[in-house]
Amino acid sequence: MANDPSDPELLERMAAGDREALALIFRRHHRTVYRFSRQMLGSKEAAEDVTQDVFVALTRSASRFNPAVA
């Protein structure tokens, strides 16, 4: 939607501790991450683990996001 924040905006908000920003990023991208992981790994359980790991890592590294290079 036109009023939806961009991914860079959401990452900046995540870096500031905004949990809703993480929820929005997750809803926007979890299916893609899961599908890719499932295709690469061939396992539902492994794909679920990788998807979780991706979003945990994103949460931990959000403060290093540099919008100038996005």
Side-chain angles (χ1 to χ4, degrees):
M1 289 187 184
N3 293 334
D4 286 344
S6 67
D7 287 348
E9 290 170 324
L10 290 173
L11 288 170
E12 287 184 71
R13 287 172 45 188
M14 284 175 59
D18 183 341
R19 290 179 180 247
E20 180 60 25
L22 172 59
L24 289 169
I25 284 275
F26 180 80
R27 283 195 298 268
R28 190 176 287 176
H29 296 290
H30 80 277
R31 286 183 190 94
T32 301
V33 172
Y34 174 80
R35 281 193 311 262
F36 178 78
S37 300
R38 178 81 190 260
Q39 182 178 4
M40 295 303 293
L41 301 170
S43 163
K44 176 183 174 185
E45 293 79 14
E48 289 170 351
D49 288 344
V50 166
T51 301
Q52 179 178 336
D53 290 346
V54 164
F55 287 97
V56 167
L58 180 63
T59 301
R60 290 182 179 157
S61 64
S63 64
R64 294 192 307 259
F65 173 69
N66 181 353
V69 294

